[in-house]
Amino acid sequence: MDPTRDTAEKRDLRERARAFFQENRPSDPGFKLPQTFLEVESEAQFLWLKAWQKQVYGAGLLGVEWPTAYGGKGLPSGSQRVVAEEMGRAGVPFIVNRIGLDWAGPTILAVGTEEQKQRYLRNILSCDEVWCQGFSEPGAGSDLASLRTSAVRQGDHYIVNGHKVWTTQALWADFMILLARTDPSAPKHAGISYFLFPMKSKGVSVRPLVKMTGEGGFNQVLFEDALVPASCLLAGEGDGWRLAVMTLAFERGASEGSATGGALAAGGEVARLVALAKEVSRDGRPASEDPVMRDRIAELAIEEEALLASALRARVPGLVEERPLALPFLGKLVSTEFGQRVAAVGQELEGPLAQYAFGAERAAGGGHFQRAYMNSFGFTIGGGTSEIQRNLVGERILGLPKST
Amino acid sequence: MQSTARIPDDFGYGEEQALLRREAKKLLESSCKTEDVRRWTETPAGFDEGLWARAAEAGWLGLVVPAAHGGSEMSMTSLAVLMEEMGRVLVPLPFVGTLFATLVLREAASEDEKARWLPQIAEGKVRAAVGAEERRGGWDFAHVEATARREGERILLSGEKELVVDAPSAKLLLVTATEPEGPSLFALPAASPGVTVSADQLVDATRRSGAVRFENVVVSDADRIGAKGEAVSILGRVMPRMWTALAAEMVGGADRLLGMTTEYAKIRQQFGRPIGAFQAVKFPLVDLLARIELSRSLVYRAAAAIDHAPAQAEKLARMAKAHASDTYTFAAAKAVQLHGGIGFTWECDVQLYFKRAQWSRAALGDAAHHRKRIAEMVLEG
Ligand SMILES: Cc1cc2nc3c(=O)[nH]c(=O)nc-3n(C[C@H](O)[C@H](O)[C@H](O)COP(=O)(O)OP(=O)(O)OC[C@H]3O[C@@H](n4cnc5c(N)ncnc54)[C@H](O)[C@@H]3O)c2cc1C
């Protein structure tokens, strides 16, 4: 990123971050690291990434916008993004506790009791406690409100029964933000509650799933008469849908407040394409000289710049007054589809070499884009599919009638 | 450029720009309705002198003229605001040609030439145009077959410029012609003996342009804008503003198409519900919204770069023009398609925008043209 874009206030932070990532770039762990937080599959990977997050937090570079009372730094909005940009620039490994930092944390910060905030937030930042998200079920994906997992109140406890699926990091998680139905007789959106659920409870079993990349990372989670204290409830009984919508807004980057600033920190992908284009050949010449490939790269460079410019413009009220919510609502849709196109073009650039699987000895650039292309669908599906995003934007921003 | 130059966080958008937008909206909404536009475009001149006078009164013609010469010299961000609003209503004024010429004069003319032309431009008394492209040039300003031949004190200009926007109504023409040092720019009153301007038939009825022919037209050294052989470099310095201005206009037009089509999708019923409830209609509108928002971000970022961080200006302005060209083209195609049969009619306003989109895409470099240069900057830069 261009440091000349900062205010003086952020320049300090940027310099500190830059210096830290330069001096503390982790050495090769000796095993393959996953590409994103969605693919952590082995304990070795997980422990290594956990230690890395601890180190970054220790350097004062995580949760910088969160209040100091809960382990943050209390810096102004937009500060975390500066760190995220420097992380991207330095090409260091990602921060592993994303669900805690970006989805669970901001929700707890917004609606949790003082006790809950004290109990959970600091440990999210330090990675002492890792979180997962138990929203989706086999029968409830896009139509999340049709979920069936039940939580029945019994004295000071709830008894949970049900089946969650696609649960990222459930295997490593200490806590889950869990949606469960507490009132089966209420209308579909009304009877849902939101729990801060301890994963080590009895009656919980986690079964890893294998992704098309061949990697692990998400899981099925089964609840059989799992008993949790009533104090695990976030906000009130029946508030679950409202809180789920809030969490999803954080997840999709439609609300500010994440502790990693990661959602909008695009950048660096086109630079990777450029490097690859110089390394591989088409028709016996560097792909970087091929006019069609050059045009593709230019197109993506323009879009990368447009995404960056949009993230910045979104914070200038006068320049978004006609549709103040358009950019936040569009963020996930456009950035994940952009990522997908970059990965597709990356493979196209490789020409015949795109046949190599990632990790193959002879693959160009380690086969980064083969893997990235597959992984890119995780982002256009997870957190609400692109189709659901289009429905949402069409209805909420353009005011078009409901599709169903 | 000093390394401290930075694009401000607020994109240089403040109260001044908000006010300009409000006033432009008010003026244009009241005095430039589509029925007016249609009426004016059917006249030979293609525009209304009354509206031109109002534009001058509002200070739009002096917007890029320095205060010393009777203008208000506002920022590129302000110009982008005005262009965006003009694009929304498809204003058929010979504004682009005069803007282009004003920028060139401001950039490179002698103090005498500036004093001679700029105050009159700001007042709306002189309309101008820039002829810098030729038939075989394909957007390349360096391709100049027109010649400037010296004969003692006199310089004789001969050649032809094509598709000179707003030339038919211009009093002042700035043209390029080659000297031994390379292409130079000359100021040429349109009434000079030996000058003929044809009126083109354009795809966009709200625009006028012409081929400018000049045969042994007599000028002097004083009529040269900038130094000998400097035309390409002068134009190069001016172009980021022109690309950004056109991109802003395109964003305004595309946004208007989105608005019109969205409204139509809410009221037009088929199969017992508004067509906007069908995802085959809804999704392209969302994609259009996304593209417009991204284009707009690039426009204002390019504008802010021009004002504050010139080192980044060319790349960002080319990006804005390329992106907006694609966006407007997409907007036009979707608008016609989603209006169905009505969208294919002369009567439907969509066609006016559709044609403006086609004109804008082809003017001053289309998306592929700019991407070619951007690729050089990204891959070799
Ligand atoms: C990598 C990854 C990680 C994930 N991690 C988690 C996690 O940690 N926790 C969690 O709770 N969930 C997680 N998910 C689940 C994710 O939220 C769901 O997969 C997603 O919401 C889609 O639901 P589904 O898979 O049931 O697809 P479905 O809802 O069955 O959709 C199938 C197809 O139909 C389309 N479709 C459905 N409804 C409509 C409609 N109304 N209009 C148009 N098209 C429609 C969809 O867009 C999709 O293309 C993850 C998913 C992935 C891919």
Side-chain angles (χ1 to χ4, degrees), chain A residues 38-39 99 103 132-138 140-144 164-169 211 218 251 377-379 381-388 391 403-404, chain B residues 279 283:
Chain A
L38 298 168
E39 277 79 36
I99 297 174
W103 315 344
C132 67
Q133 178 192 45
F135 285 14
S136 304
E137 299 183 7
S142 298
D143 184 13
L144 181 57
K164 295 288 169 179
V165 75
W166 322 127
T167 324
T168 300
Q169 287 188 358
K211 302 185 177 187
F218 58 22
E251 177 173 355
F377 287 86
F379 297 104
I381 295 171
T385 65
S386 291
E387 290 72 24
I388 294 302
N391 278 335
S403 291
T404 43
Chain B
Q279 289 173 335
F283 285 12

Side-chain angles (χ1 to χ4, degrees), chain B residues 21-357:
Chain B
R21 193 186 294 280
R22 277 197 301 277
E23 291 187 340
K25 261 191 205 306
K26 210 164 82 192
L27 196 158
L28 291 169
E29 274 164 18
S30 62
S31 37
C32 187
K33 302 189 194 322
T34 346
E35 56 268 27
D36 303 322
V37 172
R38 281 179 180 268
R39 189 157 35 78
W40 296 328
T41 57
E42 278 160 21
T43 65
F47 71 100
D48 178 52
E49 288 285 0
L51 184 60
W52 180 261
R54 244 161 298 161
E57 239 167 78
W60 297 351
L61 303 173
L63 194 93
V64 299
V65 174
H69 298 293
S72 58
E73 194 166 22
M74 289 170 83
S75 63
M76 184 65 221
T77 300
S78 299
L79 178 59
V81 168
L82 180 62
M83 292 301 291
E84 190 185 346
E85 295 309 321
M86 285 185 166
R88 256 179 233 285
V89 298
L90 231 45
V91 67
L93 286 177
F95 187 77
V96 168
T98 300
L99 172 70
F100 196 175
T102 309
L103 291 171
V104 169
L105 289 170
R106 193 181 86 175
E107 177 69 30
S110 66
E111 280 309 311
D112 282 354
E113 288 281 298
K114 282 185 196 169
R116 179 170 170 207
W117 296 113
L118 293 178
Q120 299 198 72
I121 287 176
E123 279 176 55
K125 287 196 184 125
V126 164
R127 283 185 287 267
V130 180
E133 293 178 30
E134 298 189 4
R135 185 155 190 85
R136 280 180 289 273
W139 296 310
D140 180 5
F141 295 140
H143 181 102
V144 179
E145 293 177 24
T147 55
R149 190 160 46 85
R150 178 167 286 282
E151 247 186 32
E153 289 295 291
R154 312 189 317 165
I155 302 172
L156 301 179
L157 303 182
S158 293
E160 185 178 33
K161 301 292 159 178
E162 185 157 272
L163 286 163
V164 181
V165 64
D166 296 330
S169 66
K171 198 161 166 183
L172 172 68
L173 300 167
L174 306 181
V175 298
T176 52
T178 296
E179 299 190 275
E181 293 83 357
S184 305
L185 263 162
F186 294 92
L188 198 67
S192 313
V195 176
T196 52
V197 178
S198 71
D200 296 330
Q201 259 184 300
L202 295 179
V203 60
D204 175 10
T206 67
R207 293 271 195 225
R208 292 292 184 271
S209 78
V212 174
R213 253 183 301 273
F214 37 100
E215 197 59 50
N216 289 321
V217 175
V218 181
V219 294
S220 73
D221 279 307
D223 297 316
R224 191 184 295 101
I225 309 294
K228 286 180 191 165
E230 287 249 295
V232 176
S233 131
I234 295 166
L235 291 166
R237 296 201 295 278
V238 165
M239 290 325 287
R241 288 176 195 273
M242 288 305 295
W243 295 325
T244 305
L246 268 193
E249 192 187 68
M250 285 189 267
V251 166
D255 204 19
R256 187 69 216 292
L257 282 173
L258 172 65
M260 286 160 69
T261 314
T262 304
E263 280 319 301
Y264 189 67
K266 288 180 195 172
I267 55 162
R268 175 70 178 166
Q269 302 259 337
Q270 289 296 321
F271 302 97
R273 41 185 189 157
I275 56 170
F278 296 106
Q279 289 173 335
V281 173
K282 180 178 286 173
F283 285 12
L285 288 173
V286 170
D287 289 337
L288 175 54
L289 169 70
R291 292 190 193 200
I292 289 171
E293 291 293 342
L294 293 181
S295 288
R296 183 177 280 141
S297 302
L298 282 173
V299 162
Y300 284 98
R301 195 154 167 77
I306 289 168
D307 289 330
H308 301 278
Q312 298 178 52
E314 182 187 345
K315 182 164 142 189
L316 286 168
R318 284 185 187 274
M319 286 180 160
K321 173 69 168 78
H323 202 275
S325 293
D326 282 346
T327 296
Y328 207 179
T329 307
F330 180 73
K334 287 303 160 196
V336 169
Q337 180 69 25
L338 298 179
H339 273 79
I342 196 91
F344 197 64
T345 65
W346 187 263
E347 174 205 339
C348 180
D349 289 342
V350 165
Q351 58 101 353
L352 298 170
Y353 288 84
F354 185 94
K355 293 169 184 171
R356 173 66 73 86

Side-chain angles (χ1 to χ4, degrees), chain A residues 195-213:
Chain A
F195 295 90
L196 308 176
F197 182 92
M199 288 295 281
K200 308 296 185 264
S201 308
K202 231 176 108 210
V204 178
S205 51
V206 178
R207 296 188 193 153
L209 292 164
V210 180
K211 302 185 177 187
M212 73 162 153
T213 58

